[in-house]
């Protein structure tokens, strides 16, 4: 179900309803409504009588009052605001500070306007007017503010939020009870303080686009039809095999989107017979403003291919074994970090690579395509090990294939003369980093409009340490073991069938791969520059 933002009339009505309790209590207090007046006087008399006979109790409540000062509540709000500013939640930060400022100003204004005298038999000295209680108002605003922001704070699970919110709610009661126990406020002063706090939170929430009920209001984007506006909507394409706790994942993603003003997301799960193509097309048909994809490198590749040239931003949530595109776009592998960096990030146009070959329909990849040893490693990595130990399972497969036979290939780059080599593997890359930050193609950039090619050709197993050393040290010197090339079109033809891969996804044996760069074909949502 879509949740549409309130109309201007709805916003005004919400503010009026939020201010209604304060209005009613104020009218009853200064209209001297008999039941409320009797209640005030009765409680004040009991507090004065009990306090006069129990000085230690008065001392206790004085200590409590010194701890739960209004400035203590405001200081808590400022600390939380500073943390949110550090986490780049700028709107919530300004809202918190505005709410605290409104509380301070309005409490003083109400006191000055109504000039209600304090109870006659106060147990401690206290200056100023009685209505409303600044302690009660400040504590209520603090509790309500934390109730809004804690659901949006990364890493705060529900039980941890309760561990904070329950004591905060208790502080509201304690701060209010302290004022009554010391007989410096009537009960109606405390009730009026709570009601004023509610009115402040309601008004500032509406003003800043935050829905009452602790959810930020949807951001506005112009619709194409009648000139009205609608909230942005994201589509989330998920490979359920790669995402562990699907319920927790869905809850986190939905909450992160809602906090940033998105409507309820469109959830699409991949199938065994479709790694994401149909799901991406559904996202396009539903005019999604953002597509989040969580799965292995194969799922990411298929979704990115389908979204090429659409202009719809794609955010990659790492969930697979390699996560090569996410790594190369500097997206953190932690789910909470990744969501924050993507949703608060920027759009970047990156290249895709069109590819075809024998037995392979025209396709695209975003990371790397390979022919030979690297494809054999991807193909032979045990699935159970990938699930248990992640990308290090490829090391097991690499050890198994260390003596993979070389193959004679012909390589044609752009319109240059074809070269022949006997190789262990040839990799064509749009980006350059492998797992563990191994720079296979150190000069590759996802938006440079060029393909980078590495030809790896050690003759014997004993020569592999030389190759590995050159990769790790980013040596650019070309020799018989390792060569690099760049171009816009690259074609590789092998003398015999060999294993091939696209973005770490085995595509079966064949003899050819023909690739061509598509500059700026994909809009990727990436972290902001630091």
């Amino acid at each position: 179900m879509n949740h549409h933002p309130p109309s201007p009339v709805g916003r005004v009505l919400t503010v009026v309803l939020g201010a209604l309790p304060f209005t009613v209590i104020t009218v009853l207090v200064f209209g001297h409504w008999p039941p409320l007046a009797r209640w005030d006087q009765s409680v004040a008399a009991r507090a004065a009588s009990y306090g006069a006979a129990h000085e230690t109790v008065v001392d206790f409540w004085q200590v409590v009052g010194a701890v739960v000062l209004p400035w203590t509540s405001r200081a808590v709000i400022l600390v939380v605001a500073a943390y949110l500013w550090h986490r780049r939640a700028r709107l919530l930060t300004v809202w918190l500070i505005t709410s605290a400022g409104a509380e301070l100003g309005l409490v003083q204004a109400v006191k000055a306007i109504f000039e209600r005298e304090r109870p006659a038999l106060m147990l401690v000295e206290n200056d100023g007017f009685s209505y409303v209680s600044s302690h009660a108002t400040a504590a209520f605003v603090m509790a309500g503010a934390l109730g809004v922001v804690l659901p949006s704070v990364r890493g705060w699970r529900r039980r941890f939020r309760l561990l904070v919110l329950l004591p905060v709610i208790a502080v509201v009661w304690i701060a209010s009870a302290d004022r009554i126990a010391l007989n410096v406020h009537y009960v109606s002063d405390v009730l009026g303080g709570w009601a004023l706090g509610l009115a402040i939170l309601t008004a500032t929430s509406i003003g800043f686009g935050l829905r009452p009920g602790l959810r930020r209001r949807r951001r506005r984007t112009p619709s194409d039809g009648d000139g009205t506006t609608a909230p942005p909507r994201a589509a989330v394409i998920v490979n359920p095999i790669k995402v562990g706790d699907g319920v927790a994942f869905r809850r986190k993603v939905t909450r992160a989107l809602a906090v940033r003003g998105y409507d309820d997301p469109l959830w699409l799960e991949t199938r065994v017979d479709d790694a994401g193509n149909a799901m991406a097309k559904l996202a396009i048909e539903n005019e999604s403003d953002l597509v989040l994809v969580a799965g292995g490198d194969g799922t990411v590749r298929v979704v990115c291919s389908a979204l090429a040239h659409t202009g719809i931003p794609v955010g990659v949530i790492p969930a697979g074994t390699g996560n090569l595109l996410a790594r190369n776009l500097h997206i953190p592998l932690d789910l909470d970090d990744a969501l924050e960096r993507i949703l608060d990030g920027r759009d970047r146009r990156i290249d895709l690579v069109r590819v075809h070959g024998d037995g392979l329909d025209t396709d695209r990849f975003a990371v790397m395509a390979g022919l030979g040893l690297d494809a054999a490693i991807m193909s032979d990595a045990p699935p159970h090990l990938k699930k248990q130990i992640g990308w290090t399972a490829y090391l097991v497969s690499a050890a198994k294939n260390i003596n993979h036979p070389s193959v004679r290939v012909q390589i044609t780059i752009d319109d240059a003369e074809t070269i022949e080599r006997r190789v262990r593997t040839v990799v064509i890359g749009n980006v350059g980093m492998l797992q563990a930050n191994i720079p296979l193609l150190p000069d590759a950039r996802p938006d440079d409009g060029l393909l980078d090619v590495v030809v790896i050709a050690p003759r014997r197993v004993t020569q592999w340490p030389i190759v590995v050393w050159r990769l790790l040290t980013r040596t650019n010197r070309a020799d018989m073991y390792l060569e690099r090339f760049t171009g816009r079109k690259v074609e590789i033809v092998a003398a015999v069938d060999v294993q091939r891969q696209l973005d770490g996804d085995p595509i079966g044996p064949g003899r050819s791969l023909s690739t061509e760069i598509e500059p700026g074909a994909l809009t990727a949502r990436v972290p902001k520059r630091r």
Side-chain angles (χ1 to χ4, degrees), residues 354-377:
R354 188 164 60 250
V355 58
H356 65 273
D358 54 311
L360 175 66
D361 294 332
T362 299
D363 206 340
R364 292 185 179 93
F365 67 88
V367 181
M368 299 177 188
L371 179 150
L373 173 61
D374 76 306
I377 292 174

Side-chain angles (χ1 to χ4, degrees), residues 105-116 128-132:
L106 287 175
V107 165
Q108 300 307 316
V110 169
K111 286 178 178 290
I113 290 171
F114 294 103
E115 297 184 344
R116 188 186 196 188
F129 297 109
S130 182
Y131 189 83
V132 291

Side-chain angles (χ1 to χ4, degrees), residues 192-520:
W194 290 356
L196 179 58
L198 176 63
I200 291 169
L201 290 173
T202 302
T204 57
S205 296
I206 292 297
F208 278 80
L210 304 173
R211 289 177 184 265
L214 316 186
R215 287 185 62 179
R216 178 171 161 182
R217 191 184 65 188
R218 319 302 189 186
R219 283 196 303 246
R220 303 292 196 251
T221 55
S223 67
D224 297 328
D226 56 3
T228 60
T229 57
R233 193 184 192 196
V236 187
I237 300 176
V238 182
N239 183 336
I241 297 175
K242 297 293 184 179
V243 175
D245 188 344
V247 175
F249 175 84
R250 183 165 184 154
R251 184 169 58 244
K252 282 188 176 184
V253 173
T254 300
R255 183 173 64 237
L257 287 167
V259 165
R260 290 163 177 85
Y262 282 80
D263 210 334
D264 290 341
L266 174 66
W267 285 90
L268 302 166
E269 289 192 354
T270 63
R271 306 187 302 266
V272 175
D273 61 340
D274 189 337
N277 185 61
M279 298 78 205
K281 289 180 179 179
L282 280 173
I284 297 170
E285 291 173 5
N286 280 271
E287 300 182 346
S288 301
D289 300 285
L290 171 69
V291 173
L292 300 178
V293 53
D297 289 323
T299 299
V300 172
R301 178 182 63 82
V302 171
V303 171
C304 289
S305 176
L307 291 170
H309 304 292
T310 65
I312 299 175
V314 180
V316 180
I317 301 175
T321 305
N323 299 308
L324 287 178
L325 184 57
R327 294 173 190 269
N328 279 275
L329 296 179
H330 307 292
I331 296 172
L333 300 185
D334 176 76
L335 173 59
D336 295 302
D337 280 345
L339 283 172
E340 181 179 314
R341 298 289 186 88
I342 292 170
L343 297 180
D344 295 334
R346 61 188 177 91
D347 291 341
R348 178 185 181 187
R349 298 293 294 270
I350 67 171
D351 308 332
L352 291 179
V353 185
R354 188 164 60 250
V355 58
H356 65 273
D358 54 311
L360 175 66
D361 294 332
T362 299
D363 206 340
R364 292 185 179 93
F365 67 88
V367 181
M368 299 177 188
L371 179 150
L373 173 61
D374 76 306
I377 292 174
M378 301 296 176
S379 181
D380 289 345
H384 67 281
L385 281 183
K386 289 199 292 183
K387 186 175 182 179
Q388 293 174 358
I389 63 176
W391 67 265
T392 51
Y394 293 127
L395 298 179
V396 176
S397 182
K400 176 182 175 182
N401 288 277
I402 191 66
N403 204 26
H404 187 275
S406 60
V407 60
R408 185 165 294 281
V409 299
Q410 293 181 331
I411 304 172
T412 305
I413 299 175
D414 294 336
D415 297 324
E417 185 178 349
T418 299
I419 60 175
E420 293 191 8
R421 297 287 189 273
R422 179 170 287 277
V423 305
R424 300 280 183 170
T425 191
V426 180
V427 176
I428 305 167
N430 185 40
V431 296
M433 302 300 290
L434 298 177
Q435 295 91 342
N437 292 324
I438 296 175
L440 181 64
L441 297 162
D443 296 326
R445 300 292 181 270
D447 54 2
D448 61 1
L450 292 173
L451 294 170
D452 287 69
V453 183
V454 61
V455 178
I456 300 176
R459 302 282 180 86
R460 296 180 296 274
V461 173
T462 54
Q463 294 171 340
W464 272 111
I466 299 174
V467 173
V468 173
W469 173 254
R470 289 192 52 195
L471 288 174
L472 294 177
T473 57
R474 306 189 182 199
T475 304
N476 287 323
R477 179 172 56 88
D479 57 27
M480 60 186 297
Y481 305 131
L482 188 147
E483 295 178 280
R484 292 190 174 96
F485 306 93
T486 60
R488 299 181 181 277
K489 297 180 182 180
V490 179
E491 182 177 8
I492 307 170
V493 179
V496 297
D497 285 353
V498 290
Q499 291 290 341
R500 299 171 298 175
Q501 61 88 10
L502 300 180
D503 286 358
D505 198 16
I507 57 173
R511 294 194 179 191
S512 68
L513 283 176
S514 297
T515 61
E516 182 176 358
I517 196 75
E518 293 184 326

Side-chain angles (χ1 to χ4, degrees), residues 24-197:
V24 171
I25 293 173
T26 302
V27 169
L28 294 179
V29 168
F30 295 98
H32 304 290
W33 189 49
L36 182 58
R38 286 195 297 269
W39 189 24
D40 279 342
Q41 295 300 327
S42 174
V43 172
R46 291 178 186 177
S49 175
Y50 187 85
H54 300 84
E55 293 185 3
T56 55
V57 174
V58 174
D59 293 338
F60 167 78
W61 283 112
Q62 280 187 283
V63 172
V64 171
V67 174
V68 294
L69 288 170
W71 283 109
T72 303
S73 298
R74 295 164 192 153
V76 170
I77 290 178
L78 292 177
V79 169
V80 175
Y83 173 76
L84 289 173
W85 183 268
H86 175 70
R87 302 308 303 173
R88 298 183 297 279
R90 304 298 163 80
L91 181 66
L92 285 176
T93 301
V94 178
W95 172 74
L96 280 177
I97 296 174
T98 301
S99 297
E103 176 269 316
L104 175 61
L106 287 175
V107 165
Q108 300 307 316
V110 169
K111 286 178 178 290
I113 290 171
F114 294 103
E115 297 184 344
R116 188 186 196 188
E117 297 295 334
R118 294 185 182 274
L121 300 175
M122 291 189 296
L123 298 175
V124 295
E125 291 186 6
N126 210 304
D127 298 328
F129 297 109
S130 182
Y131 189 83
V132 291
S133 168
S134 57
H135 284 67
T137 309
F140 190 96
V141 169
M142 177 192 67
L146 292 184
V148 171
V149 302
L150 282 184
S152 68
V153 175
R154 176 180 60 83
W156 284 81
R157 297 183 180 178
R158 183 176 180 181
R159 61 177 180 273
F160 296 141
R161 295 202 300 269
L162 288 176
L163 288 176
V164 173
L165 287 178
L166 290 178
V168 167
I169 293 172
V171 167
V172 177
W173 285 97
I174 292 171
S176 304
D178 169 78
R179 301 292 88 190
I180 296 172
L182 293 176
N183 206 29
V184 296
H185 281 294
Y186 294 108
V187 173
S188 57
D189 296 332
V190 170
L191 295 178
W194 290 356
L196 179 58

